[in-house]
Amino acid sequence: MQLVYRELDADIVRRTNAVFPAQNCFVEVLPDQLIIPRKYVELGESIRSLPVYEDDVWMVSYPRTGSTWAQEMVWLLGHEFDYVAAEQDIRMRSPLLELSALFSTDHHEMVAQAFGNTVELVRNLPRPRYARSHLSWQLLPEQFDEVKPRIVYTARNPKDLCVSYFHYCKLLHGISGDFEQFVELFLGGHTPMGSYWKHVLPFWKRSNDENVLFIKYEDMITDLPAVVRRCGRFLNATHLLNESSMKRICEHLTFDKMRQNKAVNLEKVLPASATKFIRNGKIGDWRNHMSDTMSERFDAWSEQHIRGSGLRFDYD
């Protein structure tokens, strides 16, 4: 499929410019009207043509769904619980494919110096490669369909996700708009990476495929050992799971430990801030940010998109 790019409608440009400090920084990709950073245009074809291998392990998600948390679990299971090697920055162990495009207008020098071209970084990883992406199915390498690498997809209830994404964009992109403005963009599919449901549903529809593991943030919160075991089966790593190893990995993956872990928490590259990259780790924080009216809008919007799909989330 040939990617087609076009400029955003003037009203969407006006509203994104009111929130994001980098002006006119997004474009739309057809046919699915996905909103992505303009820099992606330069990288899109190299991403789509990237060779994919059957022994690849990809962590794919919409932003702020617990993917960094899950990637640490996946990487450790795939590397026989090598906690010493896991002290290396996760963005080198499991690079984010499109990172060079995401931070093309802010933190660009840091990303370029630390990681270079992240598409090439992924291309040259030793096999089996462990990589991440926030791109939707339509923008990922074309060989995903035919080669069928292993894919771990993380999803989260959209209310908590939207709150977390707002704080993330304030921390990393310096947005100046208020939460209500951000919600309007999010519900309209006009935040970076576009519509949440257009991202989630293609993976949910593939969740019964042998090469896809679909996990929810809420399940990691409520029963982490069960998710570790599911992931272990998916990665053919059940032989590693005994009482001692389960206790250690679940302790390593606790929210407090992840928040303190400099290999995953971005503190090496972010200035000191009251807001943390790994911020809250709770289900239901949306109640501290949303009015009843806003919550009802989310409910109606969600039902409109997922009716009949069988996909459901916990909100408390």
Short mmCIF file of all heavy atoms in Angstrom, two decimals, residues 126-184:
data_model
loop_
_atom_site.label_atom_id
_atom_site.label_comp_id
_atom_site.label_asym_id
_atom_site.label_seq_id
_atom_site.Cartn_x
_atom_site.Cartn_y
_atom_site.Cartn_z
N PRO A 126 21.06 -7.03 16.64
CA PRO A 126 21.35 -8.47 16.53
C PRO A 126 20.06 -9.27 16.70
O PRO A 126 19.18 -8.89 17.46
CB PRO A 126 22.33 -8.72 17.68
CG PRO A 126 22.06 -7.62 18.67
CD PRO A 126 21.68 -6.43 17.85
N ARG A 127 19.95 -10.35 15.96
CA ARG A 127 18.77 -11.20 16.07
C ARG A 127 18.92 -12.18 17.23
O ARG A 127 20.03 -12.59 17.54
CB ARG A 127 18.58 -11.95 14.75
CG ARG A 127 18.23 -11.00 13.59
CD ARG A 127 18.14 -11.71 12.26
NE ARG A 127 17.11 -12.76 12.27
CZ ARG A 127 16.88 -13.57 11.23
NH1 ARG A 127 17.61 -13.44 10.12
NH2 ARG A 127 15.96 -14.50 11.30
N PRO A 128 17.79 -12.52 17.85
CA PRO A 128 16.44 -12.03 17.58
C PRO A 128 16.27 -10.59 18.05
O PRO A 128 16.68 -10.24 19.16
CB PRO A 128 15.54 -12.98 18.38
CG PRO A 128 16.40 -13.45 19.51
CD PRO A 128 17.79 -13.54 18.95
N ARG A 129 15.67 -9.76 17.21
CA ARG A 129 15.52 -8.34 17.51
C ARG A 129 14.30 -8.12 18.43
O ARG A 129 13.25 -8.72 18.24
CB ARG A 129 15.33 -7.53 16.23
CG ARG A 129 16.45 -7.70 15.23
CD ARG A 129 16.24 -6.82 14.01
NE ARG A 129 14.95 -7.04 13.36
CZ ARG A 129 14.59 -6.46 12.21
NH1 ARG A 129 15.42 -5.63 11.59
NH2 ARG A 129 13.40 -6.71 11.68
N TYR A 130 14.48 -7.22 19.38
CA TYR A 130 13.38 -6.76 20.25
C TYR A 130 13.20 -5.27 19.97
O TYR A 130 14.13 -4.48 20.19
CB TYR A 130 13.70 -7.01 21.72
CG TYR A 130 13.57 -8.46 22.10
CD1 TYR A 130 14.51 -9.40 21.66
CD2 TYR A 130 12.50 -8.91 22.85
CE1 TYR A 130 14.39 -10.74 21.98
CE2 TYR A 130 12.36 -10.26 23.18
CZ TYR A 130 13.31 -11.17 22.74
OH TYR A 130 13.17 -12.50 23.04
N ALA A 131 12.04 -4.91 19.45
CA ALA A 131 11.82 -3.52 19.05
C ALA A 131 10.42 -3.08 19.46
O ALA A 131 9.55 -3.90 19.79
CB ALA A 131 11.99 -3.37 17.53
N ARG A 132 10.21 -1.78 19.44
CA ARG A 132 8.93 -1.20 19.84
C ARG A 132 8.43 -0.25 18.76
O ARG A 132 9.21 0.27 17.97
CB ARG A 132 9.07 -0.38 21.13
CG ARG A 132 9.48 -1.15 22.34
CD ARG A 132 9.71 -0.19 23.52
NE ARG A 132 8.50 0.55 23.86
CZ ARG A 132 8.49 1.67 24.54
NH1 ARG A 132 9.63 2.23 24.94
NH2 ARG A 132 7.35 2.26 24.85
N SER A 133 7.12 0.00 18.80
CA SER A 133 6.56 1.02 17.91
C SER A 133 5.21 1.48 18.45
O SER A 133 4.46 0.69 19.04
CB SER A 133 6.38 0.49 16.49
OG SER A 133 5.85 1.50 15.65
N HIS A 134 4.92 2.76 18.23
CA HIS A 134 3.59 3.31 18.50
C HIS A 134 2.81 3.51 17.21
O HIS A 134 1.74 4.14 17.21
CB HIS A 134 3.69 4.66 19.23
CG HIS A 134 4.22 4.55 20.62
ND1 HIS A 134 3.78 3.59 21.51
CD2 HIS A 134 5.14 5.30 21.30
CE1 HIS A 134 4.41 3.74 22.66
NE2 HIS A 134 5.23 4.76 22.55
N LEU A 135 3.31 3.00 16.11
CA LEU A 135 2.64 3.17 14.83
C LEU A 135 1.44 2.22 14.72
O LEU A 135 1.45 1.13 15.27
CB LEU A 135 3.61 2.91 13.68
CG LEU A 135 4.78 3.88 13.56
CD1 LEU A 135 5.75 3.42 12.48
CD2 LEU A 135 4.30 5.31 13.28
N SER A 136 0.45 2.66 13.97
CA SER A 136 -0.71 1.81 13.72
C SER A 136 -0.33 0.70 12.73
O SER A 136 0.72 0.75 12.09
CB SER A 136 -1.86 2.65 13.16
OG SER A 136 -1.47 3.18 11.90
N TRP A 137 -1.21 -0.28 12.63
CA TRP A 137 -0.94 -1.43 11.76
C TRP A 137 -0.60 -0.99 10.33
O TRP A 137 0.31 -1.52 9.70
CB TRP A 137 -2.15 -2.37 11.74
CG TRP A 137 -1.91 -3.58 10.89
CD1 TRP A 137 -2.24 -3.76 9.58
CD2 TRP A 137 -1.23 -4.77 11.30
NE1 TRP A 137 -1.82 -4.98 9.14
CE2 TRP A 137 -1.20 -5.63 10.17
CE3 TRP A 137 -0.67 -5.21 12.50
CZ2 TRP A 137 -0.62 -6.91 10.23
CZ3 TRP A 137 -0.09 -6.47 12.55
CH2 TRP A 137 -0.06 -7.30 11.42
N GLN A 138 -1.30 0.02 9.82
CA GLN A 138 -1.14 0.43 8.44
C GLN A 138 0.22 1.08 8.18
O GLN A 138 0.65 1.16 7.02
CB GLN A 138 -2.24 1.42 8.05
CG GLN A 138 -3.65 0.85 8.17
CD GLN A 138 -4.26 1.10 9.54
OE1 GLN A 138 -3.56 1.21 10.55
NE2 GLN A 138 -5.58 1.21 9.58
N LEU A 139 0.89 1.56 9.23
CA LEU A 139 2.16 2.27 9.04
C LEU A 139 3.37 1.42 9.40
O LEU A 139 4.51 1.84 9.18
CB LEU A 139 2.17 3.55 9.88
CG LEU A 139 1.07 4.57 9.59
CD1 LEU A 139 1.27 5.82 10.44
CD2 LEU A 139 1.04 4.94 8.12
N LEU A 140 3.15 0.24 9.94
CA LEU A 140 4.25 -0.64 10.30
C LEU A 140 4.85 -1.29 9.06
O LEU A 140 4.28 -1.22 7.97
CB LEU A 140 3.74 -1.71 11.28
CG LEU A 140 3.45 -1.22 12.69
CD1 LEU A 140 2.63 -2.25 13.46
CD2 LEU A 140 4.75 -0.91 13.44
N PRO A 141 6.02 -1.92 9.19
CA PRO A 141 6.64 -2.56 8.02
C PRO A 141 5.67 -3.50 7.30
O PRO A 141 4.93 -4.26 7.92
CB PRO A 141 7.82 -3.32 8.63
CG PRO A 141 8.20 -2.50 9.82
CD PRO A 141 6.91 -1.99 10.37
N GLU A 142 5.70 -3.44 5.97
CA GLU A 142 4.75 -4.20 5.16
C GLU A 142 4.87 -5.70 5.38
O GLU A 142 3.89 -6.44 5.24
CB GLU A 142 4.97 -3.88 3.67
CG GLU A 142 4.54 -2.49 3.27
CD GLU A 142 4.73 -2.23 1.80
OE1 GLU A 142 5.89 -2.19 1.35
OE2 GLU A 142 3.70 -2.09 1.09
N GLN A 143 6.05 -6.18 5.73
CA GLN A 143 6.26 -7.62 5.87
C GLN A 143 5.61 -8.21 7.12
O GLN A 143 5.61 -9.43 7.30
CB GLN A 143 7.76 -7.93 5.88
CG GLN A 143 8.43 -7.73 4.54
CD GLN A 143 9.88 -8.19 4.54
OE1 GLN A 143 10.43 -8.57 5.57
NE2 GLN A 143 10.50 -8.16 3.37
N PHE A 144 5.04 -7.35 8.00
CA PHE A 144 4.34 -7.88 9.18
C PHE A 144 3.29 -8.91 8.77
O PHE A 144 3.11 -9.92 9.46
CB PHE A 144 3.68 -6.75 9.96
CG PHE A 144 4.52 -6.20 11.09
CD1 PHE A 144 5.84 -5.83 10.88
CD2 PHE A 144 4.00 -6.09 12.37
CE1 PHE A 144 6.62 -5.34 11.92
CE2 PHE A 144 4.77 -5.60 13.41
CZ PHE A 144 6.08 -5.23 13.18
N ASP A 145 2.56 -8.66 7.69
CA ASP A 145 1.47 -9.55 7.28
C ASP A 145 1.98 -10.91 6.84
O ASP A 145 1.40 -11.93 7.19
CB ASP A 145 0.68 -8.91 6.13
CG ASP A 145 -0.56 -8.18 6.64
OD1 ASP A 145 -1.21 -8.71 7.56
OD2 ASP A 145 -0.88 -7.10 6.12
N GLU A 146 3.05 -10.95 6.06
CA GLU A 146 3.50 -12.21 5.49
C GLU A 146 4.48 -12.96 6.37
O GLU A 146 4.45 -14.18 6.46
CB GLU A 146 4.12 -11.97 4.10
CG GLU A 146 5.30 -11.00 4.10
CD GLU A 146 5.78 -10.68 2.69
OE1 GLU A 146 5.19 -9.77 2.06
OE2 GLU A 146 6.74 -11.33 2.25
N VAL A 147 5.38 -12.23 7.07
CA VAL A 147 6.41 -12.87 7.88
C VAL A 147 5.87 -13.31 9.24
O VAL A 147 6.28 -14.32 9.79
CB VAL A 147 7.63 -11.94 8.05
CG1 VAL A 147 8.67 -12.56 8.98
CG2 VAL A 147 8.24 -11.62 6.69
N LYS A 148 4.94 -12.52 9.78
CA LYS A 148 4.30 -12.81 11.07
C LYS A 148 5.30 -12.92 12.22
O LYS A 148 5.44 -13.99 12.84
CB LYS A 148 3.43 -14.06 10.97
CG LYS A 148 2.28 -13.92 9.99
CD LYS A 148 1.33 -15.07 10.07
CE LYS A 148 0.19 -14.92 9.07
NZ LYS A 148 -0.58 -13.68 9.25
N PRO A 149 6.01 -11.83 12.53
CA PRO A 149 6.85 -11.83 13.73
C PRO A 149 5.97 -11.89 14.97
O PRO A 149 4.75 -11.67 14.88
CB PRO A 149 7.57 -10.48 13.64
CG PRO A 149 6.56 -9.60 12.95
CD PRO A 149 5.90 -10.49 11.93
N ARG A 150 6.55 -12.17 16.11
CA ARG A 150 5.77 -12.14 17.33
C ARG A 150 5.49 -10.69 17.72
O ARG A 150 6.40 -9.85 17.71
CB ARG A 150 6.49 -12.88 18.45
CG ARG A 150 6.31 -14.39 18.35
CD ARG A 150 7.10 -15.15 19.37
NE ARG A 150 8.54 -15.09 19.09
CZ ARG A 150 9.45 -15.73 19.79
NH1 ARG A 150 9.12 -16.48 20.82
NH2 ARG A 150 10.73 -15.62 19.47
N ILE A 151 4.25 -10.41 18.07
CA ILE A 151 3.80 -9.06 18.41
C ILE A 151 3.11 -9.10 19.76
O ILE A 151 2.16 -9.87 19.97
CB ILE A 151 2.81 -8.50 17.36
CG1 ILE A 151 3.45 -8.47 15.97
CG2 ILE A 151 2.32 -7.12 17.78
CD1 ILE A 151 2.43 -8.23 14.85
N VAL A 152 3.59 -8.30 20.70
CA VAL A 152 2.90 -8.10 21.97
C VAL A 152 2.27 -6.71 21.91
O VAL A 152 2.97 -5.71 21.75
CB VAL A 152 3.87 -8.19 23.17
CG1 VAL A 152 3.10 -7.95 24.48
CG2 VAL A 152 4.57 -9.55 23.19
N TYR A 153 0.96 -6.66 22.00
CA TYR A 153 0.24 -5.39 21.90
C TYR A 153 -0.37 -5.05 23.26
O TYR A 153 -1.04 -5.88 23.87
CB TYR A 153 -0.88 -5.47 20.85
CG TYR A 153 -1.52 -4.13 20.58
CD1 TYR A 153 -1.01 -3.27 19.63
CD2 TYR A 153 -2.65 -3.72 21.31
CE1 TYR A 153 -1.59 -2.02 19.39
CE2 TYR A 153 -3.23 -2.48 21.08
CZ TYR A 153 -2.69 -1.64 20.12
OH TYR A 153 -3.26 -0.40 19.90
N THR A 154 -0.13 -3.83 23.73
CA THR A 154 -0.72 -3.40 25.00
C THR A 154 -1.80 -2.36 24.75
O THR A 154 -1.65 -1.46 23.91
CB THR A 154 0.35 -2.79 25.94
OG1 THR A 154 1.02 -1.73 25.29
CG2 THR A 154 1.36 -3.85 26.36
N ALA A 155 -2.89 -2.48 25.48
CA ALA A 155 -4.01 -1.54 25.38
C ALA A 155 -4.42 -1.12 26.79
O ALA A 155 -4.09 -1.77 27.78
CB ALA A 155 -5.19 -2.18 24.65
N ARG A 156 -5.18 -0.03 26.86
CA ARG A 156 -5.56 0.55 28.16
C ARG A 156 -6.91 1.24 28.02
O ARG A 156 -7.26 1.72 26.93
CB ARG A 156 -4.50 1.55 28.59
CG ARG A 156 -4.68 2.15 29.98
CD ARG A 156 -3.56 3.13 30.28
NE ARG A 156 -3.56 3.58 31.66
CZ ARG A 156 -2.67 4.43 32.17
NH1 ARG A 156 -1.69 4.91 31.40
NH2 ARG A 156 -2.74 4.79 33.44
N ASN A 157 -7.66 1.32 29.10
CA ASN A 157 -8.93 2.02 28.99
C ASN A 157 -8.66 3.47 28.57
O ASN A 157 -7.73 4.11 29.05
CB ASN A 157 -9.75 1.92 30.28
CG ASN A 157 -9.39 2.94 31.34
OD1 ASN A 157 -9.59 4.15 31.15
ND2 ASN A 157 -8.86 2.47 32.47
N PRO A 158 -9.45 3.98 27.62
CA PRO A 158 -9.11 5.27 27.00
C PRO A 158 -9.22 6.48 27.92
O PRO A 158 -8.60 7.51 27.65
CB PRO A 158 -10.10 5.37 25.83
CG PRO A 158 -11.22 4.47 26.20
CD PRO A 158 -10.61 3.35 26.97
N LYS A 159 -9.99 6.38 29.00
CA LYS A 159 -10.08 7.52 29.92
C LYS A 159 -8.76 7.73 30.65
O LYS A 159 -8.21 8.84 30.68
CB LYS A 159 -11.23 7.31 30.91
CG LYS A 159 -12.61 7.30 30.28
CD LYS A 159 -13.70 7.08 31.33
CE LYS A 159 -15.07 7.00 30.70
NZ LYS A 159 -16.14 6.76 31.70
N ASP A 160 -8.25 6.66 31.26
CA ASP A 160 -6.95 6.78 31.94
C ASP A 160 -5.84 7.07 30.94
O ASP A 160 -4.91 7.82 31.24
CB ASP A 160 -6.63 5.49 32.69
CG ASP A 160 -7.34 5.40 34.04
OD1 ASP A 160 -7.64 6.46 34.62
OD2 ASP A 160 -7.57 4.28 34.51
N LEU A 161 -5.93 6.46 29.76
CA LEU A 161 -4.91 6.71 28.74
C LEU A 161 -4.86 8.19 28.37
O LEU A 161 -3.77 8.78 28.28
CB LEU A 161 -5.22 5.87 27.50
CG LEU A 161 -4.22 5.94 26.33
CD1 LEU A 161 -4.27 4.65 25.52
CD2 LEU A 161 -4.48 7.12 25.40
N CYS A 162 -6.02 8.80 28.16
CA CYS A 162 -6.05 10.20 27.75
C CYS A 162 -5.44 11.11 28.81
O CYS A 162 -4.69 12.04 28.49
CB CYS A 162 -7.49 10.62 27.45
SG CYS A 162 -7.65 12.29 26.78
N VAL A 163 -5.74 10.84 30.08
CA VAL A 163 -5.15 11.62 31.18
C VAL A 163 -3.64 11.47 31.16
O VAL A 163 -2.88 12.45 31.25
CB VAL A 163 -5.74 11.18 32.54
CG1 VAL A 163 -4.94 11.81 33.69
CG2 VAL A 163 -7.20 11.55 32.64
N SER A 164 -3.17 10.23 31.04
CA SER A 164 -1.73 9.97 31.03
C SER A 164 -1.06 10.60 29.82
O SER A 164 0.04 11.16 29.93
CB SER A 164 -1.49 8.46 31.04
OG SER A 164 -0.11 8.17 31.06
N TYR A 165 -1.71 10.55 28.68
CA TYR A 165 -1.15 11.12 27.44
C TYR A 165 -1.03 12.63 27.56
O TYR A 165 -0.06 13.23 27.09
CB TYR A 165 -2.05 10.72 26.27
CG TYR A 165 -1.39 10.73 24.92
CD1 TYR A 165 0.00 10.87 24.76
CD2 TYR A 165 -2.15 10.58 23.76
CE1 TYR A 165 0.58 10.85 23.50
CE2 TYR A 165 -1.58 10.56 22.50
CZ TYR A 165 -0.21 10.70 22.38
OH TYR A 165 0.37 10.69 21.12
N PHE A 166 -2.01 13.26 28.19
CA PHE A 166 -1.96 14.70 28.42
C PHE A 166 -0.73 15.07 29.24
O PHE A 166 0.02 15.98 28.89
CB PHE A 166 -3.24 15.16 29.12
CG PHE A 166 -3.23 16.58 29.59
CD1 PHE A 166 -3.26 17.63 28.67
CD2 PHE A 166 -3.20 16.89 30.94
CE1 PHE A 166 -3.25 18.96 29.09
CE2 PHE A 166 -3.19 18.19 31.38
CZ PHE A 166 -3.21 19.24 30.45
N HIS A 167 -0.52 14.37 30.35
CA HIS A 167 0.64 14.66 31.20
C HIS A 167 1.95 14.35 30.48
O HIS A 167 2.94 15.08 30.64
CB HIS A 167 0.53 13.89 32.51
CG HIS A 167 -0.51 14.42 33.44
ND1 HIS A 167 -0.36 15.63 34.12
CD2 HIS A 167 -1.73 13.94 33.81
CE1 HIS A 167 -1.43 15.85 34.85
NE2 HIS A 167 -2.27 14.84 34.68
N TYR A 168 1.96 13.29 29.69
CA TYR A 168 3.14 12.93 28.90
C TYR A 168 3.48 14.05 27.92
O TYR A 168 4.65 14.44 27.78
CB TYR A 168 2.86 11.63 28.16
CG TYR A 168 3.85 11.26 27.08
CD1 TYR A 168 4.98 10.51 27.36
CD2 TYR A 168 3.62 11.64 25.76
CE1 TYR A 168 5.87 10.16 26.37
CE2 TYR A 168 4.50 11.30 24.76
CZ TYR A 168 5.63 10.55 25.07
OH TYR A 168 6.51 10.21 24.05
N CYS A 169 2.47 14.56 27.23
CA CYS A 169 2.71 15.62 26.24
C CYS A 169 3.15 16.92 26.91
O CYS A 169 3.93 17.69 26.33
CB CYS A 169 1.47 15.84 25.38
SG CYS A 169 1.16 14.52 24.18
N LYS A 170 2.67 17.16 28.12
CA LYS A 170 3.16 18.32 28.87
C LYS A 170 4.64 18.15 29.22
O LYS A 170 5.44 19.08 29.10
CB LYS A 170 2.35 18.52 30.14
CG LYS A 170 0.95 19.07 29.92
CD LYS A 170 0.21 19.24 31.24
CE LYS A 170 0.83 20.32 32.10
NZ LYS A 170 0.04 20.55 33.34
N LEU A 171 5.00 16.93 29.64
CA LEU A 171 6.37 16.66 30.09
C LEU A 171 7.35 16.67 28.93
O LEU A 171 8.41 17.31 29.00
CB LEU A 171 6.41 15.30 30.80
CG LEU A 171 7.79 14.80 31.25
CD1 LEU A 171 8.38 15.71 32.31
CD2 LEU A 171 7.68 13.37 31.78
N LEU A 172 7.02 15.98 27.85
CA LEU A 172 7.99 15.80 26.76
C LEU A 172 7.86 16.80 25.63
O LEU A 172 8.83 17.08 24.95
CB LEU A 172 7.90 14.38 26.19
CG LEU A 172 8.82 13.37 26.89
CD1 LEU A 172 8.27 12.97 28.24
CD2 LEU A 172 9.06 12.15 26.03
N HIS A 173 6.65 17.31 25.43
CA HIS A 173 6.45 18.21 24.29
C HIS A 173 6.07 19.63 24.70
O HIS A 173 5.87 20.48 23.84
CB HIS A 173 5.39 17.64 23.35
CG HIS A 173 5.74 16.29 22.80
ND1 HIS A 173 6.86 16.06 22.02
CD2 HIS A 173 5.13 15.08 22.93
CE1 HIS A 173 6.92 14.78 21.69
NE2 HIS A 173 5.88 14.17 22.23
N GLY A 174 5.95 19.87 26.00
CA GLY A 174 5.70 21.22 26.48
C GLY A 174 4.40 21.83 26.02
O GLY A 174 4.33 23.04 25.77
N ILE A 175 3.33 21.01 25.91
CA ILE A 175 2.07 21.56 25.43
C ILE A 175 1.54 22.59 26.42
O ILE A 175 1.77 22.52 27.62
CB ILE A 175 1.02 20.46 25.17
CG1 ILE A 175 0.64 19.73 26.46
CG2 ILE A 175 1.50 19.49 24.12
CD1 ILE A 175 -0.55 18.78 26.29
N SER A 176 0.81 23.55 25.87
CA SER A 176 0.34 24.67 26.68
C SER A 176 -1.18 24.68 26.85
O SER A 176 -1.71 25.45 27.65
CB SER A 176 0.79 25.99 26.06
OG SER A 176 0.35 26.07 24.71
N GLY A 177 -1.89 23.87 26.09
CA GLY A 177 -3.33 23.85 26.21
C GLY A 177 -3.80 23.18 27.48
O GLY A 177 -3.01 22.52 28.17
N ASP A 178 -5.07 23.35 27.82
CA ASP A 178 -5.60 22.71 29.03
C ASP A 178 -6.13 21.32 28.69
O ASP A 178 -6.16 20.90 27.52
CB ASP A 178 -6.67 23.57 29.68
CG ASP A 178 -7.86 23.87 28.77
OD1 ASP A 178 -8.17 23.04 27.89
OD2 ASP A 178 -8.48 24.93 28.93
N PHE A 179 -6.55 20.59 29.71
CA PHE A 179 -6.97 19.21 29.52
C PHE A 179 -8.20 19.12 28.61
O PHE A 179 -8.30 18.21 27.79
CB PHE A 179 -7.27 18.56 30.88
CG PHE A 179 -7.68 17.11 30.79
CD1 PHE A 179 -6.83 16.17 30.23
CD2 PHE A 179 -8.91 16.70 31.27
CE1 PHE A 179 -7.21 14.83 30.14
CE2 PHE A 179 -9.29 15.36 31.20
CZ PHE A 179 -8.44 14.43 30.63
N GLU A 180 -9.11 20.06 28.74
CA GLU A 180 -10.32 20.03 27.91
C GLU A 180 -9.97 20.15 26.43
O GLU A 180 -10.55 19.47 25.58
CB GLU A 180 -11.29 21.14 28.32
CG GLU A 180 -12.00 20.91 29.65
CD GLU A 180 -11.07 21.08 30.86
OE1 GLU A 180 -10.00 21.71 30.71
OE2 GLU A 180 -11.42 20.58 31.94
N GLN A 181 -9.01 21.02 26.10
CA GLN A 181 -8.58 21.15 24.71
C GLN A 181 -7.96 19.85 24.21
O GLN A 181 -8.18 19.42 23.07
CB GLN A 181 -7.56 22.29 24.58
CG GLN A 181 -8.14 23.68 24.71
CD GLN A 181 -7.03 24.73 24.71
OE1 GLN A 181 -6.25 24.84 25.65
NE2 GLN A 181 -6.96 25.49 23.63
N PHE A 182 -7.16 19.22 25.07
CA PHE A 182 -6.52 17.97 24.70
C PHE A 182 -7.56 16.88 24.46
O PHE A 182 -7.45 16.09 23.51
CB PHE A 182 -5.52 17.54 25.78
CG PHE A 182 -4.65 16.39 25.39
CD1 PHE A 182 -3.49 16.60 24.64
CD2 PHE A 182 -4.98 15.09 25.76
CE1 PHE A 182 -2.68 15.54 24.27
CE2 PHE A 182 -4.18 14.02 25.40
CZ PHE A 182 -3.03 14.25 24.66
N VAL A 183 -8.56 16.82 25.32
CA VAL A 183 -9.63 15.83 25.17
C VAL A 183 -10.33 15.99 23.83
O VAL A 183 -10.63 15.00 23.14
CB VAL A 183 -10.64 15.93 26.33
CG1 VAL A 183 -11.93 15.16 26.01
CG2 VAL A 183 -10.02 15.39 27.61
N GLU A 184 -10.61 17.24 23.43
CA GLU A 184 -11.26 17.47 22.14
C GLU A 184 -10.43 16.91 21.00
O GLU A 184 -10.96 16.29 20.06
CB GLU A 184 -11.52 18.96 21.93
CG GLU A 184 -12.57 19.56 22.87
CD GLU A 184 -13.92 18.89 22.73
OE1 GLU A 184 -14.31 18.53 21.60
OE2 GLU A 184 -14.59 18.71 23.77
#
